[in-house]
Amino acid sequence: MIRARVIGTGHYLPERVLTNFDLEKMMDTSDEWIRQRTGIEQRHVAAPDQATSDLAVLAAQRALKDAGLAPFDIDLIICCTTTPDHLFPATACLIQHRIEARNAAAFDLNAACSGFVYGLATATAFIESGRFRRVLLIGAEVATNRLNWKNRDTAVLFGDGAGAVVLQGEEGERGVLSTYLAADGADAHLLMLPAGGSRIVPTKENIGTEVHDFQMRGQELFKRAVLAFGSAIQKALEQNGISASDVDLFIPHQANVRIIQAAADRAGLSGDKVFLNLDKVGNTTAASIPIALDQALQAGRVVPGKLILLAAFGAGLTWGSAVIRW
Ligand code: UT7
């Protein structure tokens, strides 16, 4: 059977770092509150002239180099993002041109914080069907320039960054073993950016009003997130006929350390099997898992043969999981 195997990874984080202490000077918050309630200590912030594709290109080039492939080897580029450069064309097309991946089809995928898991499922399906052999899958976000820096409810949570993986179709036991995706649009209102699309177009009257801000019902989302992570992990274990003790490393979407710990505890995943990086990067939405995966590889925590579990939850609502035999 043809499996989708990750043959290269890369990530890029913008140079500028904004600490919780910096935020204390900008709004009514404290390092103590942010660390205790979220686990975040700092986040990276894109430069004013850096858009999502700029971060994505750097991550993609690193992943291609790691894979030992040239850009023209890539058949498909999927860019998972909620903060595309433009409403259209797709950011994936801009990346395709910048890295000169002339043979690649390209499209964006928006499943918010679950974007990378949705993208992985999509890429895997294309590869397993034989339609494409090599897919460049990117999660990239520049969220900080959409934040209202007076709104402490959301401004303290998000950071910018990009992560990329190159997947290749190969015979064998290594690669993506399973994916699981779910959604519940009934609770779309719990996390959204209302304006900018066709429902609320930007007008002189609404610019500067709350319809252009991230709107989030944090507590309700928190509860949904713990349940969704729990079900996504359970499905992943069932799909593979394994138990939590078989998992070598759990790389979750990094939204809140309390959500991750609650989900891991409920699933019976011990703390030493959970990879965390949100203290240094915050919530980077669709970029969070590929950044964490690349850092986990660099830290020597992902090595051939290991069983890696990914799980994510985000706006939509969307959630899902994947199991990879590295
Ligand atoms: O990426 C996937 C989607 N996102 C999520 O899954 C996020 C899920 N939600 C969360 O992570 C948490 O709900 C938050 C981190 C957003 C908030 O944490 P919380 O423990 O749920 O806090 P809360 O909203 O219940 O607020 C507790 C208190 C409130 O004050 P009072 O009413 O108790 O006096 C807030 O006004 O903390 C206050 N507060 C803050 N204080 C300092 C809220 N935000 C801040 C802040 N700094 N940044």
Side-chain angles (χ1 to χ4, degrees), residues 52-299:
T52 295
S53 67
D54 300 318
L55 278 53
V57 162
L58 291 165
Q61 287 170 333
R62 289 172 185 179
L64 280 169
K65 190 170 175 218
D66 189 42
L69 292 184
F72 55 74
D73 292 325
I74 297 299
D75 304 313
L76 172 67
I77 299 172
I78 304 175
C79 180
C80 310
T81 186
T82 46
T83 51
D85 286 24
H86 312 286
L87 271 181
F88 68 89
T91 302
C93 295
L94 308 178
I95 298 165
Q96 186 249 22
H97 171 67
R98 294 263 300 281
I99 66 171
E100 299 185 38
R102 288 186 206 94
N103 299 321
F107 65 85
D108 285 0
L109 187 155
N110 181 350
C113 296
S114 310
F116 186 79
V117 169
Y118 265 69
L120 188 66
T122 307
T124 299
F126 274 126
I127 289 171
E128 287 178 352
S129 73
R131 180 67 186 84
F132 294 113
R133 176 149 188 256
R134 291 179 178 136
V135 180
L136 173 61
L137 174 63
I138 306 165
E141 303 281 359
V142 175
T144 57
N145 63 12
R146 304 302 306 265
L147 294 171
N148 175 351
W149 292 102
K150 292 190 174 64
N151 183 353
R152 67 180 186 175
D153 292 345
T154 49
V156 304
L157 303 175
F158 296 95
D160 302 330
V165 302
V166 179
L167 292 144
Q168 177 169 279
E170 288 179 10
E171 297 273 356
E173 297 308 308
R174 295 173 67 192
V176 179
L177 303 185
S178 68
T179 58
Y180 163 72
L181 303 178
D184 181 8
D187 280 328
H189 61 284
L190 294 184
L191 179 55
M192 71 189 317
L193 180 56
S198 58
R199 178 66 64 193
I200 306 175
V201 293
T203 61
K204 268 191 230 158
E205 289 71 33
N206 70 26
I207 291 292
T209 69
E210 64 179 15
V211 292
H212 289 280
D213 291 345
F214 281 34
Q215 293 184 4
M216 192 180 79
R217 305 246 291 258
Q219 275 185 7
E220 286 165 74
L221 267 184
F222 190 101
K223 289 179 203 147
R224 288 298 303 263
V226 173
L227 293 174
F229 266 109
S231 120
I233 294 169
Q234 208 47 48
K235 286 279 181 203
L237 299 179
E238 278 167 28
Q239 281 173 325
N240 293 281
I242 55 173
S243 64
S245 60
D246 296 314
V247 173
D248 292 304
L249 192 65
F250 174 43
I251 305 182
H253 164 57
Q254 313 272 322
N256 186 317
V257 73
R258 291 186 295 136
I259 294 174
I260 296 169
Q261 275 164 357
D265 284 351
R266 285 177 179 208
L269 287 158
S270 54
D272 59 322
K273 288 187 173 180
V274 182
F275 188 83
L276 294 172
N277 71 349
L278 85 168
D279 53 334
K280 297 288 178 267
V281 301
N283 180 349
T284 56
T285 316
S288 104
I289 290 180
I291 293 171
L293 176 62
D294 193 37
Q295 291 182 339
L297 270 153
Q298 286 173 3

